[in-house]
């Protein structure tokens, strides 16, 4: 596969990213017969699995036709732009996940206190999970398809136009806004008041935008698609940190230890963020961040 570069104007890059986002979100609603079935209904999940899988194949093909064959030093093969390569694969699979687990030291400590870790050692947990459509969506399908569209297909367009720094903050805006569509389901299907649904969706918008920036950062630092995928799956599994549960823990000593673990995890993550994501560790010469 010949090396290529992406030389679109800034407005063209943004418009194309917006198009990708609209296509992806739109595919979630195309062809669904019963609009009253919520996102967790088995029929809805299966239908969306098929739709997003097709879109995840189509959008990279569209992206390919916007590339220009080049012998420039900044040119790379199309798969390399997508972060699909062998060099540095193992570190990309492991190190970003470890880094993110450090950030989640508090929630992981809470899991330990609550005895959740014992569940992961039971084979039945994994057998049941792999038969659960919601689990498969949250841990496999969503991370792979969303990272392919919102990171692997958008950053090759945004970086040449805006640079890596701005792209880290611009790319997640498409990702965050895309999750705002959940408000429609909250109002129409769950019958929630518009104001309440808006508040929840606004919070989700902020949370997903912050995660999107972190995911884009990992993609650019490692040059690997697999890095944000495994981190995305882990974050979906952990969910938003249960601060309220920590603050209301009945045992004072345990509560203080949990609070300390949250702070220690954040400080360690900040200290390790750049060393663990050093492009050298991942043989990354594609993106310069």
């Amino acid at each position: 596969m010949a090396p290529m570069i992406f030389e679109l104007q800034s407005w063209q890059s943004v418009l194309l990213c917006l198009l990708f986002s609209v296509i992806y979100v739109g595919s979630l609603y195309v062809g669904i017969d019963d609009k009253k079935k919520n996102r967790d209904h088995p029929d809805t999940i299966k239908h969306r699995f098929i739709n997003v899988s097709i879109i995840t194949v189509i959008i990279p093909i569209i992206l390919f036709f916007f590339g220009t064959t080049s012998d420039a030093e900044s040119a790379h093969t199309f798969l390399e732009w997508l972060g699909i390569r062998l060099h540095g694969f193992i570190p990309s699979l492991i190190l970003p996940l470890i880094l993110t687990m450090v950030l989640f030291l508090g929630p992981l400590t809470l899991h330990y206190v609550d005895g959740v870790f014992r569940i992961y050692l039971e084979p039945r947990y994994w057998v049941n999970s792999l038969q659960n459509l919601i689990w498969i969506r949250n841990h496999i399908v969503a991370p792979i398809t969303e990272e392919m569209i919102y990171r692997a297909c958008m950053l090759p367009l945004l970086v040449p136009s805006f640079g890596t720094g701005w792209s880290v903050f611009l790319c997640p805006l498409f990702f965050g806004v895309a999750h705002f569509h959940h408000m429609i389901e909250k109002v129409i299907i769950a019958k929630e008041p518009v104001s309440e649904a808006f508040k929840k969706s606004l919070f989700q918008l902020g949370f997903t935008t912050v995660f999107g920036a972190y995911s884009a950062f990992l993609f650019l630092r490692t040059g690997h698609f697999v890095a944000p995928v495994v981190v995305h799956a882990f974050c979906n599994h952990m969910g938003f940190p249960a601060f309220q549960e920590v603050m209301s823990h009945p045992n004072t000593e345990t509560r203080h230890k949990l609070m300390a673990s949250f702070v220690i995890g954040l400080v360690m993550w900040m200290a390790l963020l750049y060393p663990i994501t050093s492009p050298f560790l991942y043989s990354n010469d594609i993106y310069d961040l």
Side-chain angles (χ1 to χ4, degrees):
M1 187 175 291
M4 62 170 54
I5 55 176
F6 293 91
E7 295 182 307
L8 279 70
Q9 296 183 32
S10 299
W11 68 270
Q12 292 174 320
S13 298
V14 171
L15 195 60
L16 196 54
C17 289
L18 182 61
L19 175 64
F20 289 169
S21 183
V22 169
I23 292 174
Y24 184 87
V25 174
S27 73
L28 300 177
Y29 296 94
V30 172
I32 296 180
D33 297 327
D34 191 348
K35 305 296 182 181
K36 296 182 179 179
K37 294 178 179 178
N38 65 30
R39 65 189 298 265
D40 292 333
H41 191 283
D43 291 343
T44 301
I45 294 176
K46 291 176 184 177
H47 189 88
R48 288 181 170 180
F49 278 3
I50 296 173
N51 285 5
V52 297
S53 296
I54 294 173
I55 294 302
T56 304
V57 172
I58 292 176
I59 289 182
I61 294 175
I62 296 174
L63 175 66
F64 177 81
F65 287 103
F66 284 90
T68 304
T69 303
S70 173
D71 294 326
E73 186 177 348
S74 59
H76 301 281
T77 66
F78 182 65
L79 290 180
E80 288 175 337
W81 282 114
L82 295 181
I84 301 174
R85 57 194 182 89
L86 290 178
H87 293 296
F89 176 81
I90 299 301
S92 298
L93 186 65
I94 298 173
L95 296 181
L97 177 60
I98 293 176
L99 176 66
T100 309
M101 292 175 72
V102 169
L103 176 61
F104 277 77
L105 180 61
L108 288 173
T109 303
L110 183 60
H111 270 27
Y112 175 77
V113 171
D114 291 343
V116 176
F117 283 160
R118 290 194 297 269
I119 300 176
Y120 302 143
L121 300 177
E122 298 179 8
R124 180 173 295 181
Y125 166 79
W126 297 103
V127 172
N128 291 340
S129 294
L130 291 172
Q131 295 175 344
N132 186 305
L133 290 175
I134 296 177
W135 192 95
I136 294 173
R137 177 193 65 195
N138 295 343
H139 295 77
I140 300 176
V141 177
I144 291 176
T145 59
E146 289 181 0
E147 293 305 322
M148 174 56 68
I149 303 306
Y150 289 96
R151 249 63 70 180
C153 288
M154 290 189 182
L155 286 169
L157 294 171
L158 296 173
V159 169
S161 298
F162 299 95
T164 52
W166 280 106
S167 296
V168 166
F169 296 101
L170 182 59
C171 185
L173 295 179
F174 299 101
F175 183 63
V177 171
H179 282 73
F180 210 75
H181 74 93
H182 292 309
M183 179 179 171
I184 301 174
E185 297 178 349
K186 289 182 174 69
V187 174
I188 296 178
I189 299 176
K191 304 300 181 182
E192 291 186 13
V194 175
S195 58
E196 186 66 23
F198 180 77
K199 290 178 182 177
K200 291 181 180 179
S201 299
L202 193 62
F203 174 79
Q204 187 176 28
L205 169 65
F207 182 65
T208 52
T209 300
V210 170
F211 170 77
Y214 179 52
S215 185
F217 176 86
L218 291 176
F219 181 87
L220 294 177
R221 291 283 285 179
T222 65
H224 266 282
F225 168 65
V226 70
V229 168
V230 294
V231 168
H232 192 148
F234 174 76
C235 290
N236 277 358
H237 179 73
M238 296 300 296
F240 191 77
F243 295 116
Q244 185 175 357
E245 182 179 350
V246 173
M247 300 306 295
S248 61
H249 198 283
N251 187 296
T252 303
E253 182 180 356
T254 301
R255 182 167 66 249
H256 290 164
K257 289 180 179 179
L258 287 170
M259 293 169 62
S261 67
F262 273 81
V263 175
I264 292 171
L266 178 60
V267 172
M268 289 178 61
W269 175 80
M270 293 173 64
L272 295 172
L273 181 60
Y274 275 88
I276 285 189
T277 61
S278 170
F280 173 78
L281 298 174
Y282 309 94
S283 303
N284 178 23
D285 62 351
I286 302 171
Y287 296 98
D288 183 19
L289 177 62

